[in-house]
Amino acid sequence: MKTLKPILLIVLSVLLTTTSCRTEDDLSIDPPVEEAIVANSTVANLMSNVAINDGSNDNIIDSANCLSIQLPVTVIVNNIEITINDDDGYEDIEDIIDLFDDDIDSIEIVYPVTVILTDYTAVVVNSDSELMTLASNCPGENEDDDDIECIDFQYPINASIFNENNDIIDTVTISNDNDMYEFIDDLDEYAAVTISFPITVIFSDGSTLTINSIQELENAIEIADDSCDEDDDYDYDDDDCNNCTTNDLDSIFAQCSEWTVDKLERNDNDLEDNYVGYVFEFNSDGSILVTQNTNTFNGTWSASGNGNNISVTIDISGLNDFNDTWILHEIEQDDEVDVDLRLGDDRLRFESDCQSNGNVDDSSLVNALTNGDWYITYFFDDTDETSDFQDYVFNFASNNTATATDMSGTTNGSWSTTSGDDTELGLNLNFGTSMPLDELADDWDVLEVTNDIIRLKDISGGDGSEDFITFERTPFDGGSGNDDLEDILIDGLWIVASYTEDSEDQTSDYSGFEIEFNVNGTVTATNGSNTNNGTWSVFSSGNQMALDFGTDIPFEEFNDDDWDVISVSNTEVVIQDVSGGGGGTDVLTLQKL
C-alpha cells in the first residue's frame, strides 16, 4: 500500500489541472454517504484495531503482546537449538519445556532478529536489552490494549477511492492485515473511500458472517470485541485446550482402550510410581475399569464444559488419589496420546499408545523374563547404586506377578509390557514402596533382550537424567553389563553396517569408510581419499556413548553426546539416539571388520 501514495498524488495533480476540460461524457459517481469510510470514524478505528499486528502469538519467546519476532528465528530451549519457521514451531518449544516438570526452563534468542511492531514497522534487534526496551512499551499481561483478536477479515477485500469531484481514481485490493492497517492509516489522504460489499468476517470460534454494509461491519466488530480470551499473557501452557470439546475426550477414550498413569502429583507428592502396571479403560457409558494384575477397580467418569473450562470428574472405588473434579488442560496426539488434567498445583496425566492399542511384540522379553531367576548387576540413578540390590533374587511369573527375595524375606511385585517411550518395547515394574525396591517402580524402556541379559533405561521425570538397570543370570560381581565396550571398540576396525535417521536409510553415505577408535579418545573414519576426524567416549558404565566429528561430512550426522547403547558383542555395536525436540530416532549399527 505504501506504493499507492506517490501514484495517487500524481493522479490527483493531473486531475486538478484538467478539471476545466471535463465534458458531459466524463464519469462522475457519487459515493454512497452511508457506505463511505471516514478517517478517525468509529468504524475506521475498529477496522484498524482488527488489522493491527497481534504480537501475543509468540509470547513464549518475547513476553510482549505488542510486538512479534519475524520468522524464521533460532532459539535455544533448555540447551536444545531449534529454528522456528512457522506458528507450529511455538508448539515445538512448548514440547521441549513440557518434557520435564521440575526443571528450570530457559529460552535464548539467537540475535540479530527483526521485530515487527503493532503498525508493522520492522526493527532490527541485536540483544535482550534492546528487545526489553521495545517490550517495555507494551501493555502488561491481560491488560487492555487496542488489538481486537476475536474477529478477523477474510481477504481479499476490494476498495474504491474517489477524488473531490466524486470520480473513481483507483481501485485497491487489500490482501492482508498489513494492507488493511496501512489503508485505514491513509484514509485522510483521500476524498472518499468505500469498500465493496459483501465481505466476510471470521470469529474466534471459526464461524463466519457475511457483512453487507458499513453499519453491519461496525456492529459486528463491537459485538466481537472482548468476546474471547485473547491470550495476552506469558503463560505458554494455559491455552492448550482453547478448542477442546467433551466430544474430543469421548473420541480419544473410544479410540484408545488402554491408558496408563504417566504423571500423578497430589499435594506436592509424586505418586505415579505407585501405579505402574495399572491399566485404565474409560468407557462410553461413563464407567471406568482399572486392572492391575489380578486386581480390578471400578469407577465412573464424566466431562462437561468447553475450551479451557472442561471439568472431568473421576471417582474410582479404592483409588482415592484419582478421585476429584479435574480441569482438562490438554489433549496431545503425537506418537502417544496424552490426556493432561490439572487441579491447582495437582496434576494427573494419562497416556496411551493408540496406534498399537498396547499390543507390541513382547515375546522375546516375556520368554526370557519368565524363564528362571534374575539378578540386578547394574543399577544407576544419578549414581551407581548396584550394591543396594546385590542380595536380591528376582523371579517373574507368567501371570505378571514377581518376587524379590533376600535374606530378610520375599517382597511381592508385578510386571507388564507396553510400548516404550524411546524404544518399541517397555517393561513396567512395581515392587511397592519399601526401600530399595521402590526405585524399580517405573515404565522402563527395553534396550536389549537376550536369554542372559535384559537392559532397561528410563528418563527421570524430575531433572531429565537417565536411569539404567541391567538384569543378568548370575549375581552381581562388582562389574556392569557394558564395562567392556571401550575395549571392544578399540580392538580393530569398524564399518557402518546401518544408519537410519528418522526411519530414512542413509547407510550408503558411509560406504567404503573404515572407522578406528583410538585409546586416547580420538576416532578417524577414512575411505582412502577422505578422512573424518573426531572424538568419542563411553560413560554411564557403558550404557551411553558420545561422538563428535565436528563439521566433517557425512560423519557430522553422528554428533551427539548421549547415544544409548542398545546392544554390544565382540563384532557388533548398536547405538540409538532420540531427538529431544521432534522425537525422531537415529539408529547406528557398527560392525567389526
Side-chain angles (χ1 to χ4, degrees), residues 330-397:
E330 183 177 18
I331 298 174
E332 186 173 0
Q333 301 183 64
D334 292 319
D335 294 332
E336 295 177 331
V337 178
D338 294 330
V339 173
D340 198 350
L341 307 174
R342 305 288 176 92
L343 184 60
D345 292 331
D346 290 352
R347 182 174 185 181
L348 169 59
R349 184 169 65 208
F350 293 102
E351 69 176 10
S352 177
D353 179 17
C354 290
Q355 294 176 341
S356 66
N357 289 322
N359 297 320
V360 293
D361 183 7
D362 60 2
S363 55
S364 61
L365 175 61
V366 172
N367 290 338
L369 193 68
T370 58
N371 181 24
D373 293 335
W374 291 91
Y375 302 85
I376 289 181
T377 60
Y378 182 63
F379 184 86
F380 182 87
D381 182 0
D382 294 330
T383 61
D384 190 334
E385 301 175 7
T386 311
S387 60
D388 293 344
F389 301 91
Q390 63 183 353
D391 296 327
Y392 284 93
V393 180
F394 293 86
N395 187 273
F396 300 89

Side-chain angles (χ1 to χ4, degrees), residues 176-477:
N176 51 50
D177 281 342
N178 191 347
D179 288 351
M180 178 64 79
Y181 185 86
E182 292 192 3
F183 177 74
I184 298 298
D185 190 48
D186 294 341
L187 285 178
D188 57 357
E189 299 182 12
Y190 313 136
V193 173
T194 64
I195 60 176
S196 299
F197 290 103
I199 66 171
T200 300
V201 293
I202 307 169
F203 297 104
S204 59
D205 63 0
S207 61
T208 60
L209 178 67
T210 299
I211 303 293
N212 295 292
S213 68
I214 287 293
Q215 189 58 53
E216 287 184 17
L217 179 59
E218 182 177 325
N219 293 341
I221 297 176
E222 287 181 336
I223 292 172
D225 191 12
D226 296 327
S227 66
C228 68
D229 179 9
E230 296 190 346
D231 198 28
D232 284 341
D233 57 51
Y234 311 148
D235 187 355
Y236 63 87
D237 64 353
D238 70 340
D239 63 338
D240 292 318
C241 256
N242 272 346
N243 300 314
C244 290
T245 68
T246 56
N247 287 336
D248 294 335
L249 200 57
D250 292 339
S251 298
I252 287 295
F253 283 154
Q255 295 168 15
C256 309
S257 59
E258 297 182 354
W259 296 83
T260 57
V261 179
D262 183 53
K263 180 70 178 177
L264 178 59
E265 184 173 336
R266 303 303 301 261
N267 300 317
D268 294 326
N269 295 313
D270 291 324
L271 305 177
E272 59 267 18
D273 288 349
N274 297 342
Y275 297 97
V276 173
Y278 286 69
V279 179
F280 292 70
E281 181 179 338
F282 295 83
N283 300 309
S284 58
D285 62 359
S287 64
I288 301 175
L289 176 63
V290 184
T291 57
Q292 188 263 333
N293 293 331
T294 59
N295 301 315
T296 60
F297 305 86
N298 293 285
T300 60
W301 74 279
S302 61
S304 61
N306 57 74
N308 289 296
N309 294 303
I310 294 179
S311 298
V312 180
T313 301
I314 295 176
D315 186 3
I316 306 172
S317 178
L319 299 180
N320 293 332
D321 290 333
F322 299 88
N323 297 341
D324 227 318
T325 297
W326 302 82
I327 300 298
L328 179 62
H329 176 74
E330 183 177 18
I331 298 174
E332 186 173 0
Q333 301 183 64
D334 292 319
D335 294 332
E336 295 177 331
V337 178
D338 294 330
V339 173
D340 198 350
L341 307 174
R342 305 288 176 92
L343 184 60
D345 292 331
D346 290 352
R347 182 174 185 181
L348 169 59
R349 184 169 65 208
F350 293 102
E351 69 176 10
S352 177
D353 179 17
C354 290
Q355 294 176 341
S356 66
N357 289 322
N359 297 320
V360 293
D361 183 7
D362 60 2
S363 55
S364 61
L365 175 61
V366 172
N367 290 338
L369 193 68
T370 58
N371 181 24
D373 293 335
W374 291 91
Y375 302 85
I376 289 181
T377 60
Y378 182 63
F379 184 86
F380 182 87
D381 182 0
D382 294 330
T383 61
D384 190 334
E385 301 175 7
T386 311
S387 60
D388 293 344
F389 301 91
Q390 63 183 353
D391 296 327
Y392 284 93
V393 180
F394 293 86
N395 187 273
F396 300 89
S398 57
N399 65 353
N400 294 108
T401 62
T403 58
T405 304
D406 67 353
M407 291 182 295
S408 63
T410 297
T411 301
N412 295 317
S414 63
W415 67 274
S416 61
T417 62
T418 184
S419 295
D421 292 325
D422 287 353
T423 61
E424 182 178 349
L425 182 61
L427 176 62
N428 304 322
L429 298 177
N430 194 337
F431 286 89
T433 58
S434 62
M435 297 177 62
L437 296 175
D438 61 324
E439 296 283 350
L440 304 182
D442 224 318
D443 304 317
W444 297 87
D445 290 321
V446 178
L447 297 178
E448 182 180 8
V449 175
T450 71
N451 190 52
D452 298 315
I453 188 170
I454 297 173
R455 294 196 306 109
L456 311 173
K457 180 193 80 168
D458 179 66
I459 298 178
S460 170
D463 58 7
S465 62
E466 291 182 301
D467 306 334
F468 296 93
I469 301 178
T470 299
F471 285 100
E472 292 188 81
R473 293 298 189 183
T474 56
F476 173 63
D477 62 1

Side-chain angles (χ1 to χ4, degrees), residues 6-66:
I7 297 174
L8 290 177
L9 291 174
I10 295 171
V11 172
L12 286 172
S13 63
V14 172
L15 287 171
L16 289 173
T17 58
T18 58
T19 300
S20 59
C21 299
R22 294 182 62 196
T23 69
E24 293 181 355
D25 294 329
D26 289 334
L27 178 64
S28 179
I29 300 175
D30 292 331
V33 174
E34 67 275 11
E35 300 304 330
I37 305 175
V38 180
N40 299 316
S41 63
T42 299
V43 71
N45 292 334
L46 289 170
M47 294 172 70
S48 178
N49 290 342
V50 171
I52 201 171
N53 180 44
D54 172 24
S56 62
N57 65 324
D58 66 347
N59 281 355
I60 191 172
I61 296 177
D62 58 29
S63 299
N65 293 313
C66 72

